Amino acid sequence: MCCVMPPASPEDLKARPPVVTVMGHVDHGKTSLLDAIRSADVASGEAGGITQHIGAYQVHINKGTITFLDTPGHEAFTAMRSRGAKVTDIVILVVSATDGVMPQTVEAIDHAKEARVPIIVAVNKIDLPGANPQKIRQDLAAKGLVPEEWGGKNVFVDLSAKKRINIDKLLESVLLQAEILELKANPDRPAVGTVVESKMDKKRGAVATVLIQKGSAKVGDSFVMGLSGGKIKALVGDSGARIELAGPSMAVEILGLTGQMPQAGDTFNVVENERMSREIIEKRNRIAREEALAHKHHVSLLNVKASHLKELPIIIKADVSGSVEVLKDSLEKLSTPEISVRVIHAGLGNASESDVLLATASNAIMLLFHVDIDARAKETADKNGIEVRPYQIIYDLTADVKASLEGLLEPETVDVTVGKVEIRQEFKIRHARIAGCQVMEGKAVRGAKIKLMRGGQPVGEGRLEVLKRFKDEAKEVEKGLECGVTLQGVEWQLGDSFEVLVQEKRVRRLTQNA
Ligand code: GDP
């Protein structure tokens, strides 16, 4: 596409600083740790420690430089990954030595593991009397993070963000881990990076913070980022000073954006000239429109067999930990030589936005057992085409997954009653007969199929054509409210009632010997 470059030869590659994200349960000290790390920066320390917030910053210690993403937490991390961006080289998992392993600690581990990013554990708050760093090691070892001193792969550093104890030790561990990873990039090529933040600034217009991953960007370069482009007017470094050039692992604010605001996770590319930048954006706009029309392709229980996947990633949410364990075990046992079932995350409570983002990033389906999905998470799931299936019975859940592996699931559309409505009055407006109604249960839905009932017996089926609340057209009217409707395809009388039916897509299991 835009910048077809020959692969970098080994001698062009130079060591680059690691990029780190801090994760952990709320209140375990992520923000405090980032603050403590910032004050360990020798460069900004000398300048009075004033750094502005631009979404990422570099810390220089005697032994090297580290880039920190300043949006802590696994949600932001996975949101970027769900847009195809991989920016983090190392995760620091903060665990409070007094509180221990908590639900979001486990989530963070699963999200980092799924992205195959090494984890360094910061056992925080060791200054407090109840601190028990050994217990944290035991609990995390049970989750697969085994301390190096026990023969495992994970470095554990006991520290206090508040009292600034062992911060240097943590930073040195990060640099050691980075050495093992042999992180390199060619600085002498047009820049490629990822947007980590964007905002509208009153004085400066649209501004994006970009993490440069390869090459270098300089003032005057033409670029594209997401659906935005232009010519770099200015580069602002993490100290707030204008700079001329930004190389690998540096975070910079870029000014001079035109077009749509880019989003975190969009790629940034320096291109040959402005004409090329415009052409690429036109093309991307076209593709974005087409993608919006065609539903995004994502794994579904219905297409597992046909898509020849080697692995089916699943996220389970359930009401009690007993069920989580049983479901995880029974699902993983369904693996066959052709396809393995892998539970990438199993947790308690309703499905959240972060679960949906993980599903998007990992092409997973979400199975809910006796729990629901949060409203905002549902919206994201619909938008991203993520399959979310609720279950009440363990057997149904495992049987559906088994059938899906064998290609023995079929879609079926069923009518589900979502409301009951009584007809209480009759009006005539011009030639139309309007039924004055009250919603007794559930809701009335415009355009829905209805089943007309008289004396407890069904007497016909039709459609709810017009639905009004007072004078206004309504899409839905809830239980307890009055509404005016016209019904198509049935002859109703005063005193009749009707059921409101909407179609729901479900799956049906076929029998094996079919
Ligand atoms: P976050 O939600 O993970 O970002 O956690 P914060 O950094 O906001 O910290 C939560 C609380 O723990 C705050 O009241 C901090 O002052 C406190 N805290 C953080 N680190 C330490 C520490 O090392 N020792 C003690 N005693 N308190 C800490």
Side-chain angles (χ1 to χ4, degrees), residues 108-142:
I109 296 171
D110 289 346
H111 283 232
K113 273 194 185 163
E114 212 10 56
R116 296 188 172 79
V117 177
I119 301 172
I120 292 179
V121 183
V123 182
N124 191 25
K125 308 198 188 184
I126 56 157
D127 56 301
L128 290 175
N132 189 349
Q134 285 311 312
K135 178 157 189 315
I136 305 295
R137 282 169 173 70
Q138 280 161 14
D139 292 349
L140 286 179

Side-chain angles (χ1 to χ4, degrees), residues 167 204 263 314 428 465 509 512:
I167 304 298
R204 303 181 299 167
Q263 291 180 8
I314 290 180
K428 279 233 165 71
E465 203 177 25
R509 290 192 285 274
Q512 183 120 47

Side-chain angles (χ1 to χ4, degrees), residues 25-32 124-125 127-128 160-162:
H25 195 77
V26 62
D27 277 349
H28 280 201
K30 297 181 291 294
T31 316
S32 311
N124 191 25
K125 308 198 188 184
D127 56 301
L128 290 175
S160 164
K162 196 168 177 178

Side-chain angles (χ1 to χ4, degrees), residues 360-392:
T360 312
S362 300
N363 196 24
I365 54 171
M366 300 179 56
L367 304 178
L368 313 183
F369 186 69
H370 287 188
V371 292
D372 213 339
I373 177 164
D374 296 341
R376 211 162 69 97
K378 169 93 173 62
E379 261 176 46
T380 313
D382 288 346
K383 197 172 88 210
N384 296 358
I386 302 299
E387 182 163 48
V388 184
R389 291 190 175 275
Y391 288 93
Q392 298 300 324

Side-chain angles (χ1 to χ4, degrees), residues 150-195:
W150 296 2
K153 278 202 215 122
N154 297 95
V155 175
F156 280 59
V157 181
D158 296 341
L159 53 84
S160 164
K162 196 168 177 178
K163 297 270 163 72
R164 311 271 148 107
I165 303 168
N166 280 349
I167 304 298
D168 47 349
K169 204 167 154 198
L170 176 72
L171 297 178
E172 280 167 24
S173 303
V174 170
L175 287 172
L176 269 177
Q177 178 75 57
E179 248 174 63
I180 299 169
L181 295 173
E182 294 192 46
L183 304 169
K184 287 185 176 157
N186 175 9
D188 302 314
R189 51 156 287 161
V192 177
T194 298
V195 176

Side-chain angles (χ1 to χ4, degrees), residues 1-126:
M1 207 183 54
C2 62
C3 331
V4 185
M5 290 277 298
S9 59
E11 60 269 27
D12 294 335
L13 294 175
K14 308 249 159 60
R16 65 166 178 85
V19 179
V20 176
T21 298
V22 175
M23 297 183 187
H25 195 77
V26 62
D27 277 349
H28 280 201
K30 297 181 291 294
T31 316
S32 311
L33 181 62
L34 282 166
D35 287 347
I37 287 170
R38 232 173 229 243
S39 66
D41 182 12
V42 286
S44 74
E46 280 158 15
I50 306 162
T51 36
Q52 61 162 34
H53 170 89
I54 71 162
Y57 57 86
Q58 284 195 327
V59 172
H60 311 270
I61 57 169
N62 295 333
K63 292 188 176 150
T65 299
I66 305 170
T67 305
F68 282 90
L69 291 177
D70 205 7
T71 336
H74 55 276
E75 290 90 351
F77 168 85
T78 300
M80 286 235 233
R81 211 163 67 78
S82 72
R83 300 180 56 80
K86 181 179 186 303
V87 294
T88 303
D89 300 306
I90 296 168
V91 162
I92 294 180
L93 178 70
V94 182
V95 189
S96 155
T98 53
D99 298 340
V101 174
M102 301 293 272
Q104 285 164 23
T105 316
V106 178
E107 263 186 37
I109 296 171
D110 289 346
H111 283 232
K113 273 194 185 163
E114 212 10 56
R116 296 188 172 79
V117 177
I119 301 172
I120 292 179
V121 183
V123 182
N124 191 25
K125 308 198 188 184
I126 56 157

Side-chain angles (χ1 to χ4, degrees), residues 318-351:
D319 55 343
V320 291
S321 57
S323 315
V324 170
E325 292 310 317
V326 172
L327 285 169
K328 192 164 180 283
D329 267 10
S330 355
L331 283 173
E332 292 187 334
K333 275 197 200 122
L334 295 177
S335 296
T336 67
E338 288 80 41
I339 176 163
S340 63
V341 178
R342 200 159 63 90
V343 176
I344 60 170
H345 176 61
L348 294 179
N350 281 357

